[in-house]
Amino acid sequence: MRSVVKFACLVIACLAVSCVERYKGVDPFSISIVNGVPWIDDQGTPVNAHGACIVEENGVYYLFGEWKSDTTNAFPGFGCYSSSDLVNWKFERVALSLQKDGLLGPNRVGERPKVMRCPQTGEYIMLAHTDDMRYKDPQVGLAVADNITGPYTFIGPLLYKGEPIRRWDMGTFQDHDGTGYLLMHHGDIYRLSPDYRTAEDKVLSGLKGGGESPAMFHKDSLYYLFASNLTSWERNDNYYFTAPSIEGPWTRQGLFCPEGTLTYNSQSTFIFPLHRGDSIVYMYMGDRWSYPHQASSATYVWLPLLVDGSKLSIPEYWPVWNPQTLKPVTELGGESTKVAFRSDKKGDKLVFPFKGKRVAVIGHTFHNGGYAVVRILDAEGTSIYSNMIDFYSKVAENGIRFVSPLLSEGEYTLEVECIGEHPHWYNKRGDYFGSREDWVQVNEIRIY
Ligand code: GLA
């Protein structure tokens, strides 16, 4: 309830300063980033690029990320997508495939791929966390390609002084002068060699208070380093440091999202400098994980950061926002129907016939939430689309859970079916995370 009230206050606050976009009766989704819902690519399948990064080239955004499976954590490849607006994504290819053997062979872990174009050689360099299935063999894998979408050729471990770097979560950062850096969890930072194929110098060692999922950007005279706490795929309140140079001294600045929102239910992965007019807006990119059904149900939280000297913040959660105007969309338009579907019984379903081109589902996520299958049937009753969505979140939230792809105008039936499963997993120490029940709750349907 508290989060619903908070959300209402946020809407009122935004309306008061008239900084919002309204889409009465119109469909805002083809021009908006919608956080926390599966994004559907040009092939009709969820955009599957987690622990991601974006590289911009010739006006095209290339998204690279973990091409997750729905059943196992074993590495199936890293995916590459492209877009001209950060909203509509085309599947390019599996940029790095499962290898026959070695660090990214069968039954291995591959995470957090980061791609940079090396200014000196023109080569595209992909660095990623590789590991065994129990996270006991961490290394940084190196793959290269001559063109941005690949396919990338796996070379082996990135070396520092001839040895692999035996740490896990990683990120990369490319400075304004073209120098490439490898960011490791808990505050180790390496400068890459001019050809980006080795780690040349360890410029920071064990930053006190450092954490997982490192990401960085540089604006004016400051560097900003992001970190998360160690809660496996569970979300936590991420935090950041600032420093006048990468070598330090680094100052822990605290949280950049309101405390207790658990970084709006996400974990940092990358900060993308979004060019808008003459300025750059730094876009936070985070993951909302969903184990075991990560391919279908893990989603993204992307939001612009406010930068004010050493103070960074994302003061409000914008479930839907326009990356062109950088404004939240608070009136979703469409035709709204309130519904009251709440169940934890496998097979129970909400059935909602509609006429239109698109349907959006609004529902509640909470600590005992589970998975549902969302299905769209055509007038003959044939399923033309289905995907799994996740109603779990440690911190409750009412909001958009699903936005269908654009359909041809017609008569359809929406089904939201409780499947009697819930996201849960164990970390390396054997601690239990996630939900313990299977609840699914839908409050509203919007038709466009
Ligand atoms: C943390 C890391 C992820 C992944 C999970 C596995 O969330 O940031 O990249 O390794 O743990 O539990």
Side-chain angles (χ1 to χ4, degrees):
M1 190 47 151
R2 227 177 43 193
S3 68
V4 175
V5 172
K6 253 197 218 153
F7 180 73
C9 293
L10 186 155
V11 171
I12 291 161
C14 285
L15 286 171
V17 293
S18 76
C19 63
V20 300
E21 297 201 346
R22 300 183 180 85
Y23 289 89
K24 265 231 138 48
V26 185
D27 175 350
F29 297 117
S30 41
I31 54 161
S32 304
I33 290 177
V34 189
N35 288 318
V37 305
W39 297 344
I40 298 156
D41 69 7
D42 63 321
Q43 322 254 314
T45 49
V47 172
N48 191 359
H50 307 277
C53 72
I54 293 176
V55 182
E56 184 179 359
E57 202 166 86
N58 303 323
V60 180
Y61 303 107
Y62 294 91
L63 175 73
F64 295 87
E66 298 166 29
W67 197 60
K68 289 289 201 194
S69 121
D70 258 350
T71 49
T72 151
N73 196 37
F75 174 71
F78 292 135
C80 174
Y81 295 78
S82 66
S83 170
S84 58
D85 58 9
L86 297 170
V87 174
N88 298 287
W89 292 97
K90 171 174 181 256
F91 177 66
E92 289 286 346
R93 58 152 47 106
V94 175
L96 180 70
S97 333
L98 172 64
Q99 306 292 294
K100 269 201 207 71
D101 48 32
L103 296 188
L104 289 176
N107 289 314
R108 296 276 305 177
V109 162
E111 294 180 347
R112 300 188 174 276
K114 298 289 176 282
V115 170
M116 295 185 289
R117 180 177 180 276
C118 174
Q120 190 147 108
T121 61
E123 191 174 47
Y124 294 88
I125 302 286
M126 179 187 274
L127 298 175
H129 166 199
T130 71
D131 221 318
D132 69 18
M133 294 294 282
R134 295 167 62 232
Y135 292 91
K136 294 264 197 262
D137 181 28
Q139 302 194 42
V140 178
L142 165 71
V144 300
D146 291 333
N147 59 68
I148 188 156
T149 56
Y152 284 72
T153 305
F154 190 68
I155 305 288
L158 182 87
L159 302 178
Y160 173 59
K161 294 187 170 164
E163 295 292 328
I165 297 167
R166 296 211 153 265
R167 305 289 272 168
W168 57 95
D169 275 18
M170 43 85 41
T172 57
F173 169 67
Q174 191 168 39
D175 210 345
H176 303 315
D177 64 1
T179 309
Y181 292 89
L182 169 70
L183 317 170
M184 298 308 298
H185 67 94
H186 294 98
D188 284 359
I189 300 181
Y190 296 84
R191 190 180 61 239
L192 299 176
S193 54
D195 67 2
Y196 283 17
R197 280 175 168 241
T198 52
E200 189 178 67
D201 193 13
K202 192 171 187 182
V203 294
L204 186 71
S205 199
L207 170 65
K208 189 165 175 277
E212 288 193 324
S213 65
M216 185 182 280
F217 73 93
H218 177 190
K219 179 176 189 291
D220 302 329
S221 56
L222 281 182
Y223 290 83
Y224 301 78
L225 174 65
F226 292 70
S228 73
N229 298 293
L230 268 85
T231 57
S232 183
W233 282 303
E234 185 57 271
R235 307 106 203 209
N236 60 64
D237 283 328
N238 293 186
Y239 52 96
Y240 75 104
F241 300 80
T242 57
S245 93
I246 294 189
E247 288 82 3
W250 286 92
T251 306
R252 186 172 170 140
Q253 298 287 359
L255 310 184
F256 54 95
C257 292
E259 189 172 359
T261 63
L262 311 185
T263 326
Y264 300 124
N265 277 319
S266 73
Q267 183 188 26
S268 60
T269 181
F270 195 68
I271 307 299
F272 179 64
L274 183 57
H275 292 258
R276 286 289 170 261
D278 290 337
S279 41
I280 297 179
V281 174
Y282 294 89
M283 184 175 79
Y284 164 84
M285 294 168 59
D287 291 290
R288 195 174 282 178
W289 303 104
S290 182
Y291 191 81
H293 300 308
Q294 308 260 36
S296 299
S297 309
T299 58
Y300 310 94
V301 175
W302 291 2
L303 289 163
L305 284 156
L306 283 185
V307 188
D308 179 11
S310 61
K311 291 287 157 248
L312 272 190
S313 59
I314 308 176
E316 297 164 346
Y317 180 57
W318 295 348
V320 186
W321 62 285
N322 181 329
Q324 289 304 323
T325 62
L326 304 169
K327 291 180 180 173
V329 177
T330 55
E331 280 193 32
L332 294 177
E335 192 189 308
S336 158
T337 306
K338 300 277 179 243
V339 295
F341 176 75
R342 185 176 158 80
S343 174
D344 65 345
K345 302 264 168 323
K346 185 176 172 176
D348 267 9
K349 58 183 166 187
L350 166 80
V351 178
F352 190 90
F354 68 95
K355 194 162 177 250
K357 288 198 286 205
R358 200 191 298 268
V359 57
V361 174
I362 320 294
H364 213 75
T365 59
F366 34 82
H367 72 280
N368 51 2
Y371 286 112
V373 164
V374 176
R375 221 173 275 120
I376 297 174
L377 313 179
D378 66 12
E380 278 75 53
T382 308
S383 170
I384 55 165
Y385 178 84
S386 84
N387 192 44
M388 221 175 316
I389 53 174
D390 183 352
F391 284 81
Y392 165 73
S393 65
K394 195 172 167 190
V395 171
E397 191 215 85
N398 189 43
I400 303 185
R401 307 270 74 94
F402 173 73
V403 176
S404 78
L406 207 52
L407 311 162
S408 36
E409 178 86 46
E411 291 186 15
Y412 301 94
T413 301
L414 166 81
E415 290 185 357
V416 182
E417 178 173 340
C418 174
I419 62 166
E421 282 181 41
H422 51 262
H424 66 286
W425 64 97
Y426 297 86
N427 68 4
K428 9 185 168 175
R429 286 184 301 278
D431 307 318
Y432 187 97
F433 285 91
S435 181
R436 291 179 189 271
E437 295 176 46
D438 305 326
W439 290 93
V440 167
Q441 180 174 333
V442 179
N443 307 325
E444 183 188 351
I445 306 290
R446 281 180 183 263
I447 304 300
Y448 298 86

